[in-house]
Amino acid sequence: MRRSVLLVDDEPEILELLTLFLEKEQFHIVTAQNGLEAWNYVRTRTFDLVVLDIMMPKLDGLQLLKLLRQ
């Protein structure tokens, strides 16, 4: 079974590099470019790991982390 990872960052280059690396290790990757987009994913899917950037538009990483912990 492949592990599922949500990568959240507002810089496409970072998402691309992390995706390439993790896919080589057989992870299933989903990306989001802001906290609000990520929040919509986690409400409807299950992830084994979420990697968050702290400074993002719409909903920053710390605000999203608080929502995830609730």
Side-chain angles (χ1 to χ4, degrees):
M1 179 169 104
R2 290 177 64 182
R3 300 289 181 169
S4 182
V5 177
L6 174 61
L7 301 176
V8 189
D9 199 304
D10 59 334
E11 295 187 40
E13 299 85 11
I14 292 175
L15 289 175
E16 183 179 343
L17 286 172
L18 289 171
T19 298
L20 287 172
F21 176 76
L22 292 170
E23 283 181 338
K24 285 183 181 180
E25 299 299 322
Q26 304 301 310
F27 288 96
H28 171 72
I29 305 300
V30 176
T31 62
Q33 292 191 352
N34 61 63
L36 188 56
E37 183 181 356
W39 177 241
N40 288 329
Y41 281 132
V42 298
R43 292 185 334 181
T44 60
R45 301 181 187 182
T46 301
F47 295 96
D48 297 296
L49 177 68
V50 177
V51 179
L52 296 173
D53 182 20
I54 291 182
M55 296 178 57
M56 294 181 294
K58 297 186 182 176
L59 185 66
D60 70 38
L62 293 176
Q63 293 169 323
L64 179 56
L65 181 60
K66 288 179 185 177
L67 289 172
L68 293 172
R69 287 184 165 184
Q70 289 179 355

